[in-house]
Each structure stands twice: as C-alpha cells, then as structure tokens.
Amino acid sequence: MSDPRVGLTVTHRRYVPYSHAHYAGNLVDGAYALGLFGDVATEVCIRTDGDEGLFASYSDVQFKAPMKAGDVLEVIATVTRVGTRSRTIDFAARVVCRGRPDKSESAAEVLAEPIVAVTATGTVVVPPAA
C-alpha cells in the first residue's frame, strides 16, 4: 500500500528583490534557490509530520537558467518517497514573471511559459513517530 504522503506538493511564490542581485545583469546566485527549497521543504515536513524537520542532503542539483532580480519565482516541492524518518523531495524553481528594464524602470511581465531555473532532489529527516 502506498503512503498517502507521497505526491504531496507544496508551492511557494517569491519576488526576488533587487537587493539580492549578486552579479552583473542583476543575476541572483544559484544558492538563492536552495534557500527557497529549504523554506518549502519546511512546510512539507509540517504538513506530513507536524514538525519542521531538518534538511539532510541534496542528491542532485541542476542550474538550468538564470534567476534575476525582479523575477517572481514559483518554488515547488513534491514528496517522492517516505521512509521511517526520511522524506525524499523533488524541487523546482521556475521563473513565472520577469522584470523588463528594457521597457522602463518598473516594467515587468507574466511569462507565457515559466522558465525552469533550478531543479533538485533532497532528503529531509523528521523525528520518530510518537
């Protein structure tokens, strides 16, 4: 019998402020997405186990496209495996809106198709069931 927690998906959205730009062209470092993955993983643990849990490791991280200040990121976490105390989670950070400084200082647009910027697989651990 499959565990009902497998397939649980949690989604967060976050505007990337210009104060987080790290490189030329208002690029944001890839670690920014990893911090967001930690936030969404915390909510997954709360929903599955009533505890914030701890991030144990990443088994895979792929940086696929740039993230920029002025982007709106959609961060998705899906539980793919439930162990006794561990949970495997697939993550994706997608750009759903992007600033358009070429049009004006505050111009931005909703993207017709989200851009997958970062994907990862990670493991979290939670306390033993009471």
Side-chain angles (χ1 to χ4, degrees), residues 67-112:
M67 297 173 293
K68 299 180 178 186
D71 286 351
V72 174
L73 299 177
E74 180 177 72
V75 181
I76 303 162
T78 302
V79 177
T80 59
R81 188 191 64 76
V82 173
T84 304
R85 291 190 51 217
S86 65
R87 314 289 177 251
T88 302
I89 304 172
D90 283 348
F91 299 94
R94 306 182 328 163
V95 179
V96 295
C97 300
R98 177 151 276 172
R100 291 291 311 268
D102 57 311
K103 288 189 170 186
S104 77
E105 227 175 80
S106 60
E109 66 185 359
V110 176
L111 300 180

Side-chain angles (χ1 to χ4, degrees), residues 9-75:
T9 298
V10 173
T11 302
H12 288 186
R13 282 199 174 177
R14 174 88 174 262
Y15 173 77
V16 181
Y18 280 82
S19 62
H20 289 196
H22 194 71
Y23 299 106
N26 288 319
L27 291 176
V28 176
D29 61 74
Y32 189 81
L34 301 184
L36 298 177
F37 291 164
D39 291 344
V40 74
T42 298
E43 184 178 344
V44 166
C45 291
I46 292 167
R47 290 184 177 280
T48 59
D49 295 278
D51 189 273
E52 291 184 358
L54 293 171
F55 217 115
S57 67
Y58 285 104
S59 59
D60 183 58
V61 176
Q62 299 286 320
F63 300 101
K64 297 176 176 283
M67 297 173 293
K68 299 180 178 186
D71 286 351
V72 174
L73 299 177
E74 180 177 72
V75 181

